[in-house]
Amino acid sequence: AQSVSQHNHHVILSEAASLELGCNYSYGGTVNLFWYVQYPGQHLQLLLKYFSGDPLVKGIKGFEAEFIKSKFSFNLRKPSVQWSDTAEYFCAVNPKAAGNKLTFGGGTRVLVKP
Amino acid sequence: DAGVTQSPTHLIKTRGQQVTLRCSPKSGHDTVSWYQQALGQGPQFIFQYYEEEERQRGNFPDRFSGHQFPNYSSELNVNALLLGDSALYLCASSLGTGGAVAFFGQGTRLTVV
């Protein structure tokens, strides 16, 4: 069965700092990849997705992620964070052979200090 | 355009009881998936409904069952509740079953005492 690992459980940083969240998955086949974000008190929202093509994908609010197939990784980045980026971030994998089933990582709580 | 709506938002049940959670998908979506999110963990896939049939199932016991109605809305039923069933239950809707983007509801917080 596939699994998803997010390396950091908690990240604390100051405004304007750069953010990188790691995500690795274990699955040998072709996958769709997602990052979802959950702001305090809100539902899970799609931040960005990779289905095929350019491995560098751009999402909302200045986030981007890079798919490195050889490393089974899909790391999330933002060059300069804002206080409003305080949230929990989830990486999710959907094997193309598995319909719409998503396997999530454990999440990373990000706290941005003003 | 209504997003995914779930009811109720919070629920407290006693061990051994049964519970039904409800979900209305985003307008235009025909597929509903259910996830369980325990405290401090990522969501775990329970099952998915499409065309009123369970299409995929995660590693959950038969105590977890569901239904999808002709209007695409869905119910999640859990029988013989255990303390460990306490979690946030998330409904996600999408279009079709071919790896489309899932939109999530706010969830139902179930507490089993």
Side-chain angles (χ1 to χ4, degrees):
Chain A
Q2 62 269 20
S3 65
V4 180
S5 296
Q6 292 184 237
H7 312 303
N8 307 97
H9 296 293
H10 292 90
V11 172
I12 301 174
L13 59 169
S14 300
E15 277 193 314
S18 63
L19 173 70
E20 180 160 0
L21 302 182
C23 172
N24 285 88
Y25 65 94
S26 63
Y27 182 75
T30 310
V31 295
N32 297 322
L33 297 159
F34 305 83
W35 276 96
Y36 280 87
V37 60
Q38 189 167 32
Y39 298 104
Q42 296 188 27
H43 61 281
L44 274 170
Q45 301 171 41
L46 181 69
L47 204 52
L48 48 76
K49 64 184 185 294
Y50 172 80
F51 281 6
S52 64
D54 188 345
L56 184 62
V57 292
K58 295 190 184 299
I60 60 172
K61 304 186 179 186
F63 284 89
E64 64 179 30
E66 185 176 12
F67 171 47
I68 303 180
K69 189 175 180 180
S70 60
K71 295 185 178 180
F72 298 91
S73 71
F74 190 54
N75 293 351
L76 181 71
R77 298 193 290 254
K78 185 170 184 178
S80 176
V81 296
Q82 300 173 315
W83 174 80
S84 58
D85 293 322
T86 294
E88 188 158 18
Y89 293 80
F90 292 93
C91 179
V93 172
N94 161 231
K96 289 186 188 281
N100 288 353
K101 176 184 174 182
L102 292 170
T103 299
F104 283 86
T108 299
R109 287 187 180 270
V110 174
L111 174 62
V112 180
K113 294 181 177 179
Chain B
D1 183 18
V4 180
T5 57
Q6 293 186 241
S7 63
T9 54
H10 295 83
L11 203 52
I12 300 175
K13 288 287 189 178
T14 303
R15 191 172 45 183
Q17 285 188 315
Q18 179 262 346
V19 69
T20 297
L21 310 181
R22 295 176 176 83
C23 172
S24 291
K26 180 178 168 64
S27 177
H29 285 182
D30 56 7
T31 304
V32 173
S33 302
W34 287 93
Y35 291 81
Q36 181 195 65
Q37 187 177 14
L39 206 59
Q41 298 183 22
Q44 282 198 297
F45 177 80
I46 302 175
F47 44 52
Q48 179 183 94
Y49 277 84
Y50 174 69
E51 292 186 335
E52 301 180 51
E53 290 187 9
E54 183 182 296
R55 299 292 177 163
Q56 288 185 291
R57 189 177 184 92
N59 189 24
F60 280 80
D62 292 345
R63 298 186 297 108
F64 289 77
S65 63
H67 189 78
Q68 186 179 35
F69 299 93
N71 66 352
Y72 307 123
S73 67
S74 177
E75 288 182 349
L76 163 65
N77 301 293
V78 187
N79 294 322
L81 284 166
L82 304 174
L83 296 180
D85 295 331
S86 295
L88 181 67
Y89 288 85
L90 298 171
C91 172
S93 75
S94 54
L95 182 60
T97 58
V101 173
F103 290 77
F104 285 82
Q106 290 262 26
T108 294
R109 173 72 63 186
L110 173 65
T111 303
V112 182
V113 298

